[in-house]
Structure formats: structure tokens, C-alpha cells
């Protein structure tokens, strides 16, 4: 994976300003003296640098389960708790690269190509086969699912494509019909129907598709129908469909950039939970699940945004990386909450021989 790192935070830039050695002479240049004084003032008055992490064992979402054990008086996940955040992981400079290893292994298809790339992980000898299918919002759960797979003897295979969920519709990408997303969907569905997994985990971010009846307007109703169509096909083939509901979306705000600019007070980087859910894929997913009997949902919203305002740091872990994606560090702390919901669903589905039972 090509490393295209952008320059560091403003705090890091200010540190670089102060570091070069300056050669002085008795006839020193006045302009140079003034420039140096100005740059030194930037260092002294610029944004604070991020404090080093005290430990790699930040609890993240697990802090929400520690009733009565919180060190601070304010509950984790609350706006009040942000006042006492002295450190967190990952660093804001590294947040956008805090991703599951599937990206390193080339598991996600890009936005230009339609071939269905498959990656296998988990327990290769497991008796239960679980497929993870969709866009980057299902791939973000790879680390947690991989741990659960090893613990519960699941074989996992994943098919993911950038900005392309598993559905039978036609969505847009950068304002244009996403034609190779449709082709990718056909390729993936062919594989899944030819060798049906026991369980198919799905998620997606885009919540609208082109509606032919509305002169190709983008509507949520069209995406609901498109999702339901594909899920129904999978269930009819004998696979249980489980939707990991999309997490609240910050919208236009890039959370880690906001955090880097507000290290003394992280509260400006919070956003409204109801608005975040409305911007996510969750409303379309819930509506589609209502249309297909047997489809189950896993909702981790309360472990990501437990109060009316979604905060950027919980349990000393930065929650968001690029866009609305969760950092892999935070997802790893969600392994137990995910397992509490997902493991019983998988066990029940496979014990019954699929969603129809028998």
C-alpha cells in the first residue's frame, strides 16, 4: 500500500521551525533576527503538541463496560469526560493510517475495477463459514471479526470494494453512475450463490441509489429495495444475513484534524448523534432488514456514541479516522461488544441450518 502521508500537524510544523541552527555574525541581518523572533513566537503561542501515550493498553470501548471503575468522575463517552483527556491513541498524525490489515493485503477492490477480490482469514479448519461483504464500512470490522473467528472456529472470506455496498441497485460515485460497482456486485453474488456461506455479514455507507421511476433521482427508497433484493437472494440460497449497522457519521468534519487543532479542549470535535445516524447507512439498512424476514442486525451505536453527542475520544482511544470510518484501534476494543451480539446469532443460525431452519 503506497504511503502518501501528508505533512504533520501544525504543532509538529512549529517544532520544525525552531530546530534549524542559525549562523550569527556581528553584522547580523536585521530581517533574519526579526524572522527568527516571529517563528519563535509561533512555537510559543501555537497549538499544543499531543501528549505522549502513557500506555498502549487504552481501554477504548471497554471503558463503557466498567461500571463504577472509571478513574474520572465523568462517564466515558460523555462531553464532560473530554475535559480530562491527557493522552490517546493513535496519534492524530497517524489516525488516517490506523486501518485493518486487509488494506495492506490488498483485500479491498479499488473504485476503478470490478473484479471480486477474495481474502480468507480466521480459522482455516473451522466448520462455520462466514462471509464479510460490502464497502469499507464492513472491512473496518475485520480485526474484531478475525479475533472472534479464531475463538469460535469460523472460516471467514471477505469481498469488499471501495464505496460499493452489496446491493442490486445502481448508486453513484463522485456524481456519476457507479457502473463497475454493479458489475462487482454481480461477480460477488455469483460466488456467494455458487458456494453459500453459513452467514453473510454486510454493511455499507452510501444510503441512496438511482431510482428509475423517479427519472434516475437518488433516493433512499431505491437503496432500501436494492439491499433487500440481494439479501433475499442470499437467504433463499441458505445463507443467514446479518447487518452490522453503520456507525454515526461526523459529516464534513474530519474528526482527527479537529482533535489536532483542539488538544486543550476536545469538545468542539463532538457531533450530534441523531444527525450522525441520519447521515449514515443505518436508516436504509434498518428499512431493508424490515423487508426481508430472517435478516438480523447488530447495533453497536451505543458502544461508539453512548450519549446525545458523539465524542472523538473514548477510553483514551481516538474513535474516528478518515471520513466516518472508525480507527482500527477503537474497533479492536469493540471485539467483546460485537461478540456479545454476533456470536449468538451465528450459533443460532448455523444450529438451525440457515435462516429458514431445518
Amino acid at each position: 500500500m503506497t504511503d502518501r502521508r501528508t505533512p504533520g500537524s501544525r504543532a509538529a510544523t512549529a517544532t520544525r521551525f525552531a530546530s534549524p541552527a542559525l549562523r550569527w555574525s556581528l553584522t547580523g541581518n536585521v530581517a533574519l533576527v526579526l524572522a527568527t523572533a516571529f517563528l519563535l513566537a509561533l512555537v510559543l503561542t501555537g497549538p499544543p503538541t499531543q501528549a505522549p501515550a502513557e500506555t498502549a493498553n487504552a481501554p477504548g470501548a471497554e471503558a463503557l463496560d466498567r461500571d463504577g471503575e472509571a478513574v474520572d468522575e465523568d462517564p466515558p463517552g460523555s462531553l464532560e469526560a473530554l475535559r480530562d483527556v491527557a493522552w490517546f491513541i493513535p496519534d492524530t498524525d497517524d489516525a488516517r493510517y490506523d486501518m485493518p490489515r486487509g488494506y495492506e493485503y490488498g483485500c479491498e477492490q479499488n473504485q476503478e475495477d470490478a473484479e471480486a477480490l477474495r481474502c480468507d482469514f480466521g480459522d482455516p479448519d473451522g466448520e462455520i463459514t462466514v462471509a464479510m461483504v460490502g464497502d469499507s464500512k464492513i472491512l473496518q470490522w475485520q480485526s474484531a471479526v478475525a479475533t472472534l473467528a479464531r475463538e469460535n472456529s469460523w472460516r471467514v472470506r471477505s469481498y469488499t470494494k471501495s464505496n460499493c455496498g452489496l446491493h442490486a441497485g445502481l448508486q453513484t460515485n463522485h456524481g456519476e453512475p457507479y457502473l463497475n460497482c454493479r458489475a462487482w456486485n454481480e461477480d460477488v453474488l455469483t460466488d456467494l450463490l455458487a458456494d453459500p456461506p453459513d452467514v453473510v455479514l454486510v454493511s455499507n455507507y452510501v444510503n441512496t441509489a438511482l431510482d428509475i421511476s423517479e427519472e434516475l433521482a437518488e433516493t433512499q427508497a431505491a437503496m432500501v429495495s436494492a439491499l433487500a433484493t440481494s439479501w433475499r437472494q442470499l437467504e433463499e440460497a441458505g445463507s443467514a444475513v446479518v447487518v452490522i449497522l453503520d456507525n454515526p457519521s461526523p459529516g464534513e468534519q474530519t474528526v482527527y484534524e479537529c482533535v489536532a487543532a483542539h488538544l486543550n479542549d476536545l469538545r468542539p470535535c463532538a457531533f450530534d448523534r441523531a444527525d450522525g445516524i441520519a447521515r449514515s447507512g443505518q436508516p436504509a439498512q434498518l428499512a431493508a432488514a424490515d423487508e426481508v424476514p430472517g435478516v438480523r442486525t447488530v447495533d453497536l451505536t451505543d458502544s461508539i456514541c453512548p450519549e446525545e453527542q458523539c465524542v472523538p475520544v473514548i477510553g483514551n482511544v481516538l474513535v474516528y479516522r478518515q471520513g466516518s470510518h472508525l480507527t482500527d484501534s477503537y474497533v479492536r476494543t469493540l471485539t467483546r461488544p460485537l461478540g456479545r451480539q454476533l456470536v449468538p446469532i451465528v450459533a443460532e443460525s448455523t444450529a438451525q441450518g440457515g435462516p429458514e431452519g431445518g
Side-chain angles (χ1 to χ4, degrees):
M1 182 175 178
T2 304
D3 187 354
R4 299 177 177 175
R5 299 187 178 227
T6 56
S9 65
R10 285 185 290 165
T13 302
T15 301
R16 287 197 296 272
F17 285 156
S19 62
L22 300 176
R23 294 188 177 89
W24 296 90
S25 68
L26 294 176
T27 58
N29 188 302
V30 174
L32 181 59
V33 172
L34 293 175
T36 303
F38 175 72
L39 292 177
L40 180 59
L42 282 181
V43 174
L44 296 176
T45 63
T49 57
Q50 182 171 330
E54 294 180 6
T55 174
N57 297 318
E62 294 178 4
L64 301 173
D65 292 335
R66 298 179 179 178
D67 294 337
E69 296 182 13
V71 175
D72 302 318
E73 295 180 0
D74 300 315
S78 67
L79 280 173
E80 293 77 12
L82 294 180
R83 295 178 302 187
D84 300 317
V85 175
W87 60 271
F88 56 85
I89 58 171
D91 186 280
T92 53
D93 287 339
D94 297 326
R96 64 182 300 184
Y97 308 104
D98 195 59
M99 302 181 290
R101 300 192 71 181
Y103 288 95
E104 177 185 344
Y105 296 147
C107 295
E108 184 180 70
Q109 182 58 277
N110 59 43
Q111 296 183 13
E112 289 73 41
D113 298 318
E115 179 188 2
L117 303 178
R118 170 176 165 176
C119 280
D120 293 354
F121 57 96
D123 182 354
D125 300 318
E127 296 183 357
I128 296 174
T129 302
V130 175
M132 295 180 64
V133 190
D135 59 16
S136 55
K137 300 313 287 290
I138 190 65
L139 183 57
Q140 76 176 2
W141 294 102
Q142 183 187 50
S143 296
V145 172
T147 297
L148 296 174
R150 291 190 296 269
E151 294 174 351
N152 295 278
S153 298
W154 301 342
R155 294 193 310 271
V156 183
R157 63 188 204 241
S158 74
Y159 303 85
T160 60
K161 178 173 169 62
S162 177
N163 207 38
C164 178
L166 179 69
H167 59 78
L170 178 60
Q171 65 179 75
T172 63
N173 190 38
H174 304 301
E176 299 293 332
Y178 199 0
L179 297 177
N180 66 58
C181 175
R182 169 178 280 180
W184 177 86
N185 264 278
E186 293 172 353
D187 199 6
V188 169
L189 202 59
T190 297
D191 281 1
L192 294 174
L193 296 179
D195 183 17
D198 297 299
V199 177
V200 179
L201 302 181
V202 295
S203 196
N204 60 283
Y205 171 70
V206 176
N207 58 18
T208 60
L210 293 171
D211 191 334
I212 297 177
S213 66
E214 297 290 338
E215 298 182 352
L216 293 182
E218 292 184 72
T219 68
Q220 188 170 104
M223 177 57 81
V224 169
S225 176
L227 292 169
T229 297
S230 293
W231 298 351
R232 193 175 292 113
Q233 287 180 278
L234 292 169
E235 293 229 324
E236 290 173 350
S239 297
V241 176
V242 181
V243 187
I244 301 182
L245 296 181
D246 191 21
N247 55 270
S249 170
E252 297 299 320
Q253 173 179 255
T254 300
V255 172
Y256 69 86
E257 291 180 350
C258 178
V259 168
H262 296 87
L263 289 174
N264 285 335
D265 184 357
L266 303 183
R267 287 175 292 180
C269 304
F271 60 93
D272 184 78
R273 170 179 163 132
D275 291 343
I277 291 174
R279 287 189 291 258
S280 74
Q282 191 173 138
Q285 292 168 338
L286 287 170
D290 285 342
E291 291 192 7
V292 187
V295 168
R296 307 285 294 274
T297 59
V298 169
D299 187 357
L300 291 166
T301 304
D302 286 345
S303 295
I304 298 166
C305 180
E307 301 203 359
E308 292 183 0
Q309 291 289 309
C310 300
V311 298
V313 173
I314 296 177
N316 298 106
V317 179
L318 188 64
V319 179
Y320 287 88
R321 57 177 180 88
Q322 201 73 1
S324 66
H325 299 90
L326 304 176
T327 63
D328 192 52
S329 294
Y330 196 74
V331 168
R332 290 174 184 270
T333 72
L334 287 166
T335 301
R336 298 301 152 227
L338 175 63
R340 284 195 292 268
Q341 296 187 50
L342 181 59
V343 171
I345 292 175
V346 173
E348 178 185 345
S349 299
T350 54
Q352 294 178 353
E356 301 300 327

